[in-house]
Amino acid sequence: MSQPITILLSVTGFIVAMIVLNGLLTWQRQQKLKRQLLADWGTFAEKRPKGERYLKAAYLDHEAQVNHDCQVDDLTWQDLDMLDVFEQLNVTQSSVGAEGVYAQLRAYDLGKPAVDEALIAFFQDHPDSRLKVQMAFAGLGIEPANNSQLYLRTTTKKALPNAWRFKVMGGFPFIGVLLTLLWPAIGVTLMVVSLMVNVFYYILKREGLDAEITSMGYLVRTIITAERLAKISQPTQVALRQAVKPMRGITRFAFVFRTKTGSMGDILTEYLSIMFMLSFIAYNTVLDRLSSHHAEALALWQWLGDLELAIAIANFRATEATTTQPVFAKGGMTATDLAHPLLKHPVANSVDWQKNALITGANASGKSTYVKSIAINAILAQTINTVTATSFTMEPGEVITAMAVRDDLSEGDSYFVAEIKAIRRLLNAVAKKKRVYGFIDEILKGTNTVERIAASASVINWLKQYPSLVVVATHDNELTDIMGDQCVNWHFQEKVTKEDGVVFDYLLYQGPATSHNAIALLATMDYPTSLIHDARQLAADFERSKAWPKFVKGGIQA
């Protein structure tokens, strides 16, 4: 046996061995993944590296085409820590699913949560089918910067010119292999030279097409995943089969666009793709097919996203201590045992919100948490048809907050300017005479006491003429007197003891707050006795006369 043939057989044997080894390692990874998915069911998703900018970009592109009734704007999203809510919900295994869950939480149609309850119930009751679906999506994997939806909607790239060139260049190494059997020296020379030329050309051209090939690669893998899912018995199986039909010719190039896991199989595939120009040949063919089926590909993407969304909601309901489906009806908002979904041990409270509300109470008593729990659940009700309560009824409406306001250095805004801008956007939405649920925390705290109370009262009074509901958390008890019965009053209480300091029960009480704890808390922290005495006398004199006394030599002059 000649030396070239021996070399050829050795290389072939090595490749076969690598394929077998890669298959074994892949099987082991799949078994490990199955065990992990089974163990993780009924638990909150582990936090992943922050990649919100890609999720948001995909959402904005999708929303530009769909145009829902309401969108959760950036300030409300940040105020309510909705990214943390998303991460808690996001047990998805692919970027298709993650983008779907993110978009679901950021936009909705009034009173029409876009979820498939039959599909959610199926995954709750059929763990074997659910696991098969999760495994299929895990094979697709996560590619945060895939930009696939944007690519489908906006790409104007034409097929690479002179496609025959890539086929010829990719064919030369094959010719070299054949010639090696007859004229070894010529065959080996042709094979080596052609491979060197192909590698150089690949590196030169690939850089300019890298983003497109990444997007196309993820799309191709998405279609392959859809074909696998269409073989699994679940409620959308028939519809999925129909959706994937126009795409089937594309999957011939699956091996070129396989998920990169760093395995030996990936490395081997990458080398083969470079040597035989497979990426460029596949690019032209797939682009031609996609150009005729953009709408079908986008519809398929939505079908797949809905599958992972249903699994995510089913897991959320299985994990949270208490959940129920909301009821949508005219009126205000009522709820029993409403809890904040991000707290491990929340204190549940009821809601009976029929007119604008004022919440008073000490710092850390539970005001902000209660307000956030209402706002978050109002969003969850209208997006994933799920709330963390035992009962929940609301009239559909847009949710807007002005809570965690910060200085905006990029805009040159002080805290107060940023605050009044945040409240102004709420007023603008209310003025459209649609139902808005507004949430303001520590209203206008960035200015002096007199103007803060005057402006706050005027804001609340202006709101009463519109069919919206706004809750305002404040330390200004004067507002409860000024607004009278125009607002319902709620408050949170606390106890201050020398042994325990301030103790909160985090329960909602009716009426305005009647206790103050700031000075008492100073006393528990061993502030000077004379200082505490003066503070209490000043406060008592003001409460009695509504005018501040003065410090004079020898004490306080009332």
Side-chain angles (χ1 to χ4, degrees):
M1 186 179 294
S2 65
Q3 186 176 7
I5 294 177
T6 301
I7 294 173
L8 184 61
L9 291 175
S10 299
V11 171
T12 303
F14 175 77
I15 293 173
V16 171
M18 290 299 99
I19 291 173
V20 172
L21 180 59
N22 182 68
L24 178 61
L25 294 175
T26 299
W27 180 83
Q28 290 178 335
R29 285 196 300 270
Q30 288 179 335
Q31 296 307 306
K32 181 180 179 181
L33 178 60
K34 280 184 180 179
R35 293 192 295 270
Q36 188 66 50
L37 289 172
L38 288 171
D40 288 346
W41 184 257
T43 64
F44 290 124
E46 292 185 5
K47 288 193 173 183
R48 302 172 183 175
K50 301 292 184 183
E52 187 180 12
R53 67 189 183 101
Y54 299 115
L55 294 167
K56 186 177 178 182
Y59 150 68
L60 291 174
D61 177 65
H62 176 70
E63 186 60 23
Q65 307 298 319
V66 179
N67 194 24
H68 289 93
D69 294 340
C70 300
Q71 298 180 30
V72 180
D73 68 16
D74 288 345
L75 186 54
T76 298
W77 184 262
Q78 294 162 11
D79 283 350
L80 299 178
D81 302 310
M82 288 300 295
L83 182 59
D84 291 335
V85 176
F86 160 76
E87 289 179 339
Q88 192 179 77
L89 183 64
N90 184 32
V91 294
T92 62
Q93 302 299 312
S94 72
S95 292
V96 177
E99 289 177 12
V101 173
Y102 185 87
Q104 188 77 14
L105 290 176
R106 296 232 40 174
Y108 53 93
D109 291 323
L110 293 173
K112 301 174 183 177
V115 298
D116 188 334
E117 284 296 338
L119 191 58
I120 296 170
F122 177 85
F123 286 131
Q124 289 174 321
D125 299 335
H126 297 81
D128 291 342
S129 296
R130 183 186 68 228
L131 180 61
K132 290 178 182 178
V133 171
Q134 288 180 294
M135 289 294 294
F137 278 113
L140 172 58
I142 295 173
E143 181 74 55
N146 67 82
N147 295 317
S148 297
Q149 293 189 76
L150 179 64
Y151 177 76
L152 275 174
R153 296 184 201 279
T154 64
T155 183
T156 56
K157 293 283 184 182
K158 296 181 180 179
L160 296 174
N162 303 316
W164 60 269
R165 179 197 310 159
F166 304 116
K167 295 177 181 178
V168 170
M169 293 175 69
F172 273 127
F174 283 112
I175 296 172
V177 171
L178 295 176
L179 288 178
T180 301
L181 301 175
L182 301 175
W183 301 286
I186 296 175
V188 170
T189 301
L190 177 61
M191 188 165 54
V192 171
V193 172
S194 63
L195 289 177
M196 291 176 62
V197 171
N198 287 0
V199 168
F200 177 77
Y201 191 83
Y202 179 91
I203 294 172
L204 188 67
K205 284 289 186 181
R206 171 69 190 242
E207 185 176 354
L209 285 172
D210 194 56
E212 285 77 14
I213 289 178
T214 297
S215 298
M216 180 180 288
Y218 199 77
L219 278 170
V220 172
R221 299 200 300 273
T222 300
I223 295 165
I224 296 165
T225 301
E227 290 186 340
R228 292 172 181 164
L229 289 166
K231 298 175 183 177
I232 301 172
S233 178
Q234 46 85 18
T236 66
Q237 183 181 24
V238 174
L240 198 55
R241 283 176 177 171
Q242 294 300 316
V244 81
K245 272 185 180 179
M247 307 286 110
R248 281 184 176 156
I250 293 174
T251 57
R252 289 179 299 170
F253 300 94
F255 71 97
V256 178
F257 298 114
R258 60 182 286 162
T259 303
K260 301 296 190 293
T261 61
S263 66
M264 285 183 289
D266 293 337
I267 296 172
L268 182 60
T269 301
E270 184 70 14
Y271 282 141
L272 290 173
S273 180
I274 293 173
M275 289 188 294
F276 302 114
M277 310 301 286
L278 298 179
S279 291
F280 299 127
I281 295 170
Y283 178 86
N284 272 353
T285 305
V286 173
L287 186 64
D288 180 63
R289 177 61 65 92
L290 285 177
S291 65
S292 304
H293 298 286
H294 276 202
E296 291 90 340
L298 286 168
L300 182 62
W301 188 280
Q302 185 65 45
W303 276 108
L304 298 184
D306 288 346
L307 277 173
E308 284 220 88
L309 173 64
I311 291 175
I313 296 173
N315 184 73
F316 183 78
R317 292 177 180 178
T319 306
E320 283 286 355
T322 303
T323 64
T324 191
Q325 293 178 36
V327 175
F328 298 103
K330 291 288 286 185
M333 180 187 295
T334 59
T336 54
D337 300 323
L338 184 79
H340 195 300
L342 294 179
L343 298 182
K344 290 184 178 179
H345 304 290
V347 175
N349 279 291
S350 295
V351 179
D352 186 4
W353 187 16
Q354 308 301 327
K355 61 181 180 179
N356 293 333
L358 289 170
I359 300 185
T360 48
N363 281 323
S365 61
K367 298 191 307 297
S368 296
T369 299
Y370 180 66
V371 169
K372 287 182 178 181
S373 68
I374 299 174
I376 292 172
N377 275 286
I379 292 174
L380 295 181
Q382 299 178 95
T383 54
I384 64 170
N385 202 38
T386 307
V387 291
T388 52
T390 56
S391 69
F392 189 93
T393 302
M394 68 177 291
E395 180 176 337
E398 184 175 4
V399 177
I400 300 179
T401 66
M403 300 183 71
V405 179
R406 306 171 185 85
D407 297 350
D408 190 343
L409 299 180
S410 64
E411 296 291 331
D413 291 343
S414 66
Y415 178 91
F416 183 64
V417 171
E419 185 179 25
I420 61 177
K421 282 184 175 181
I423 295 174
R424 179 63 195 178
R425 83 190 208 292
L426 169 59
L427 301 184
N428 289 341
V430 168
K432 295 177 182 177
K433 298 185 178 181
K434 61 181 181 180
R435 172 53 63 97
V436 172
Y437 292 98
F439 302 86
I440 306 175
D441 193 19
E442 297 193 39
I443 184 170
L444 300 178
K445 71 175 183 179
T447 190
N448 64 82
T449 303
V450 173
E451 289 189 298
R452 179 177 65 250
I453 294 172
S456 298
S458 298
V459 167
I460 298 167
N461 183 65
W462 181 87
L463 289 167
K464 72 177 182 180
Q465 61 188 310
Y466 296 98
S468 293
L469 289 177
V470 178
V471 59
V472 176
T474 180
H475 289 289
D476 296 319
N477 280 23
E478 294 89 341
L479 285 176
T480 63
D481 296 327
I482 295 172
M483 303 317 300
D485 62 1
Q486 205 182 104
C487 295
V488 62
N489 284 283
W490 304 324
H491 73 277
F492 286 83
Q493 296 180 358
E494 76 290 330
K495 292 181 180 179
V496 181
T497 65
K498 182 68 175 177
E499 295 76 20
D500 301 321
V502 181
V503 178
F504 302 106
D505 60 15
Y506 304 112
L507 295 175
L508 182 73
Y509 295 88
Q510 300 299 311
T514 57
S515 63
H516 306 286
N517 70 14
I519 298 174
L521 184 57
L522 297 182
T524 67
M525 301 296 290
D526 294 324
Y527 271 55
T529 302
S530 60
L531 183 156
I532 300 298
H533 176 271
D534 286 348
R536 284 173 172 159
Q537 184 176 342
L538 283 167
D541 287 347
F542 179 81
E543 291 286 355
R544 183 177 61 254
S545 64
K546 302 302 179 185
W548 287 108
K550 296 180 180 180
F551 277 105
V552 296
K553 187 175 181 180
I556 298 173
Q557 180 180 0

